[in-house]
């Protein structure tokens, strides 16, 4: 099911539907021409009528009102608005399982608002960087964190259509951020992240290495003209790399490597460890058209590693399971996908390429489930640079092709040609990748 489909779990957010933000707030007289046209639009569609009743009841319950007529009183009466906000904090705090005082609930709401803003900021900073000014959020919405204030802005004629849409969008993103925060508290993901790091330092990396000790190396690679895949790669020291000026079709890539010990030999490994940020989790929920983090976000803890050869990859996997046993925990590998030695990657994510080479699995150990992505030097360079495989290109494809960009920045609000922007950004990232 598409994110932009009327069957979507986010259908109340869509501009191409009965819940669209219009030029004027949705407070027309019940017998007005606008209201009659709206009723005609949903007539005969039981799902839309049910969704409308659900949305209406949520609005009334959060604001503590029984009719839309009471909305105007809240907009213009500060004392009523303050009482409605205090009541809303209690309701939201209990819904998200936030323990503590009203101030603790307010602190969490601030965090949810910050996460909602970070979702937009992250897109402005990278995938849509050249269009940052076009999609900048209205100042009054950026500075607002109170759900009641945001909800009332939807019905306030003093706000422009764009600002009212952004208030609605921020509410939706804050709701997802709240669900993610609740899930993190329930699963204690922060504690598990620290446990994972301690496991690596105590049992996986070489005992001769200090915590955080890294060897600086460079991958000097040559790339095919046809698809910019890696045809040859050599590992250089810092001193050797200083003497290299990459020509066209060549790359010099920094890797800061740790070491692990297997059968008495220290094997170099470049590692990047990831704990997915709340804003990234929100975007993943949107891409998956899901509101439940428990079903859609399965890669909260992750590690990507780069080794010299396929043989070193195999040795590292065996070293991992042995290390877990030494830490007094069994380790099982789940959902294994191996395309390092041939075959086609069968990823289910929109925008992913079948040409991607890697060993991917989830390791269950110590009460955690950790995603591992293992590369050789060559497959890692393809992951960064190869046409139709490079991660920067993949990011553009998945955020556009899943409908997330149109969902967050509908053309009737932002007046952007999204297909043209998608093609432009893919070409822009490709130029940046291939130019030295």
């Amino acid at each position: 099911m598409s994110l932009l489909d009327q069957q979507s779990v986010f259908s109340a957010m869509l501009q191409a539907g009965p819940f669209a933000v219009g030029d004027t707030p949705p407070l027309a007289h019940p017998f007005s021409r606008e209201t009659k046209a709206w009723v005609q639009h949903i007539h005969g569609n039981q799902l839309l009528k049910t969704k409308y009743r659900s949305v209406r009841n949520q609005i009334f319950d959060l604001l503590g009102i029984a009719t839309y007529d009471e909305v105007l009183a809240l907009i213009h009466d500060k004392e009523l608005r303050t009482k409605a906000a205090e009541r809303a904090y209690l309701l939201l705090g209990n819904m998200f399982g936030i323990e503590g005082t009203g101030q603790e609930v307010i602190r969490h709401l601030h965090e949810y608002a910050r996460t909602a803003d970070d979702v937009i900021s992250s897109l402005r900073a990278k995938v849509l960087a050249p269009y940052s000014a076009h999609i900048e959020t209205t100042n009054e919405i950026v500075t607002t964190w109170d759900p009641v204030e945001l909800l009332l802005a939807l019905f306030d004629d003093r706000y422009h259509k764009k600002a009212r849409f952004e208030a609605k969008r921020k509410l939706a993103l804050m709701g997802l951020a709240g669900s993610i925060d609740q899930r993190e508290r329930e699963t204690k993901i922060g504690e598990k992240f620290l446990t994972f790091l301690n496991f690596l330092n105590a049992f996986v990396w070489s005992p001769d290495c200090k915590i955080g000790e890294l060897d600086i190396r460079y991958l000097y690679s040559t790339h095919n003209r046809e698809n910019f895949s890696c045809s040859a790669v050599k590992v250089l020291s810092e001193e050797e790399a200083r003497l290299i000026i990459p020509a066209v079709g060549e790359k010099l890539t920094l890797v800061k490597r740790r070491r692990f010990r297997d059968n008495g030999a220290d094997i170099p490994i470049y590692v990047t460890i990831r704990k997915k940020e709340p804003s990234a989790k929100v975007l993943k929920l949107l891409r998956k058209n899901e509101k439940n983090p428990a079903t859609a976000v399965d890669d909260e803890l992750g590690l990507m590693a780069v080794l010299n050869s396929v043989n070193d990859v195999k040795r590292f996997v065996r070293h991992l399971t042995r290390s877990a046993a030494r830490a007094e925990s069994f380790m099982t590998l789940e959902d294994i996908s191996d395309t390092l030695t041939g075959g086609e990657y069968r990823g289910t994510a929109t925008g992913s390429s079948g040409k991607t080479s890697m060993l991917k699995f989830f390791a269950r150990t110590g009460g955690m489930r950790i995603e591992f992505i293992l590369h050789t030097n060559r497959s890692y360079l393809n992951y960064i640079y190869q046409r139709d495989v490079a991660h920067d290109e993949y990011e553009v494809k998945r955020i556009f092709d899943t409908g997330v960009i149109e969902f967050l920045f509908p053309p009737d609000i932002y007046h952007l040609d999204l297909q043209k922007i998608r093609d432009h950004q893919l070409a822009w990232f490709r130029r940046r990748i291939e130019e030295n």
Side-chain angles (χ1 to χ4, degrees):
M1 186 192 306
S2 168
L3 176 64
L4 303 176
D5 193 281
Q6 287 302 322
Q7 311 301 315
S8 164
V9 298
F10 297 101
S11 60
M13 269 293 298
L14 302 180
Q15 279 299 97
F19 301 101
V21 174
D23 294 330
T24 57
L27 288 176
H29 190 276
F31 300 104
S32 68
R33 181 180 303 171
E34 295 87 354
T35 301
K36 289 179 180 179
W38 186 86
V39 170
Q40 185 65 32
H41 183 72
I42 69 169
H43 180 69
N45 189 324
Q46 188 58 46
L47 177 61
L48 284 181
K49 286 192 285 187
T50 301
K51 286 188 175 184
Y52 164 70
R53 293 191 189 100
S54 175
V55 171
R56 179 196 61 193
N57 292 341
Q58 286 179 5
I59 292 171
F60 288 176
D61 290 344
L62 188 64
L63 296 179
I65 60 177
T67 68
Y68 283 117
D69 291 338
E70 298 174 71
V71 171
L72 291 176
L74 288 172
I75 290 174
H76 299 293
D77 190 319
K78 185 176 180 181
E79 185 176 340
L80 285 177
R81 200 162 61 248
T82 300
K83 290 181 180 178
E86 290 174 350
R87 179 177 175 277
Y89 301 157
L90 175 64
L91 296 177
L92 292 171
N94 287 333
M95 183 179 76
F96 289 122
I98 302 171
E99 298 179 353
T101 64
Q103 287 302 313
E104 183 67 13
V105 174
I106 289 173
R107 183 182 70 80
H108 278 80
L109 291 175
H110 274 284
E111 290 180 1
Y112 303 162
R114 190 177 304 114
T115 297
D117 292 333
D118 287 346
V119 170
I120 306 303
S121 298
S122 66
L123 296 173
R124 291 180 62 203
K126 187 174 182 181
V127 174
L128 292 173
Y131 306 91
S132 178
H134 293 79
I135 61 175
E136 184 177 6
T137 305
T138 306
N139 292 336
E140 287 78 3
I141 304 304
V142 171
T143 56
T144 303
W145 59 270
D146 188 326
V148 169
E149 295 287 348
L150 289 167
L151 184 54
L152 291 176
L154 274 168
F155 299 94
D156 195 336
D157 196 36
R158 294 173 299 176
Y159 285 85
H160 184 267
K161 176 182 178 181
K162 175 177 177 290
R164 285 187 287 109
F165 170 79
E166 289 169 346
K168 180 182 177 183
R169 181 182 69 190
K170 189 165 183 175
L171 275 172
L173 298 179
M174 285 178 66
L176 295 178
S179 297
I180 289 165
D181 173 59
Q182 182 181 4
R183 168 74 176 168
E184 289 183 348
R185 283 183 279 111
E186 290 172 350
T187 58
K188 299 180 179 178
I189 193 66
E191 295 176 22
K192 289 180 180 178
F193 184 66
L194 291 176
T195 301
F196 178 47
L197 292 179
N198 290 336
F199 163 69
L200 294 174
N201 286 320
F203 297 99
V204 177
W205 308 137
S206 172
D208 292 341
C209 295
K210 295 183 177 180
I211 294 176
E213 181 181 351
L214 302 169
D215 296 326
I216 304 298
R217 292 293 184 269
Y218 286 83
L219 303 180
Y220 178 42
S221 55
T222 305
H223 295 262
N224 294 318
R225 290 185 178 183
E226 293 76 16
N227 60 6
F228 217 74
S229 62
C230 177
S231 56
V233 57
K234 183 179 180 181
V235 180
L236 303 181
S237 66
E238 284 187 272
E239 293 74 19
E240 291 172 322
R242 290 193 189 100
L243 304 176
I244 299 294
I245 301 176
V248 175
E250 295 180 341
K251 286 289 181 180
L252 202 58
T253 306
L254 172 68
V255 286
K256 298 180 179 181
R257 307 204 290 188
R258 298 173 185 262
R259 297 190 300 276
F260 70 93
R261 182 164 295 170
D262 181 61
N263 292 329
D266 278 353
I267 300 173
I269 178 171
Y270 165 61
V271 176
T272 176
I273 297 170
R274 182 192 72 244
K275 177 180 179 289
K276 196 180 283 288
E277 293 299 317
S279 59
K281 293 181 183 180
V282 169
L283 283 171
K284 183 160 188 175
L285 286 176
L286 292 177
R287 293 197 310 269
K288 297 284 187 180
N289 193 20
E290 278 277 0
K291 290 188 177 181
N292 183 4
T295 60
V297 183
D298 60 354
D299 57 349
E300 293 175 292
L301 293 179
L303 177 150
M304 185 176 76
V306 182
L307 299 104
N308 283 337
S309 66
V310 172
N311 186 52
D312 284 352
V313 169
K314 294 176 181 177
R315 293 175 73 175
F316 179 65
V317 173
R318 185 68 184 107
H319 176 67
L320 267 180
T321 57
R322 286 172 174 161
S323 297
R326 286 191 289 113
E328 300 183 338
S329 173
F330 190 60
M331 176 183 283
T332 61
L333 308 186
E334 304 171 349
D335 301 337
I336 299 173
S337 171
D338 184 3
T339 52
L340 279 179
T341 55
E344 185 171 290
Y345 173 65
R346 300 190 181 277
T348 57
T350 300
S352 63
S353 171
K355 303 172 186 175
T356 304
S357 295
M358 61 183 171
L359 171 59
K360 180 179 178 181
F361 58 85
F362 285 88
R364 189 179 294 277
T365 185
M368 299 172 286
R369 190 172 189 262
I370 307 138
E371 181 187 53
F372 281 80
I373 296 176
L374 306 183
H375 283 288
T376 62
N377 290 336
R378 181 170 295 189
S379 73
Y380 175 63
L381 293 168
N382 288 338
Y383 168 80
I384 299 175
Y385 301 124
Q386 185 177 345
R387 291 174 198 159
D388 298 324
V389 172
H391 191 262
D392 283 348
E393 291 178 298
Y394 168 53
E395 276 196 276
V396 174
K397 289 177 184 176
R398 71 179 179 178
I399 209 74
F400 276 90
D401 296 352
T402 54
V404 170
I405 292 296
E406 184 174 344
F407 178 85
L408 294 174
F409 310 104
D412 72 310
I413 300 285
Y414 294 91
H415 310 292
L416 296 171
D417 186 336
L418 297 182
Q419 182 60 46
K420 184 177 180 181
I421 291 173
R422 177 191 183 277
D423 296 341
H424 175 275
Q425 288 302 93
L426 284 173
W428 183 76
F429 276 112
R430 176 46 48 193
R431 285 197 304 272
R432 195 179 72 165
I433 287 170
E434 296 190 13
E435 291 174 357
N436 291 325

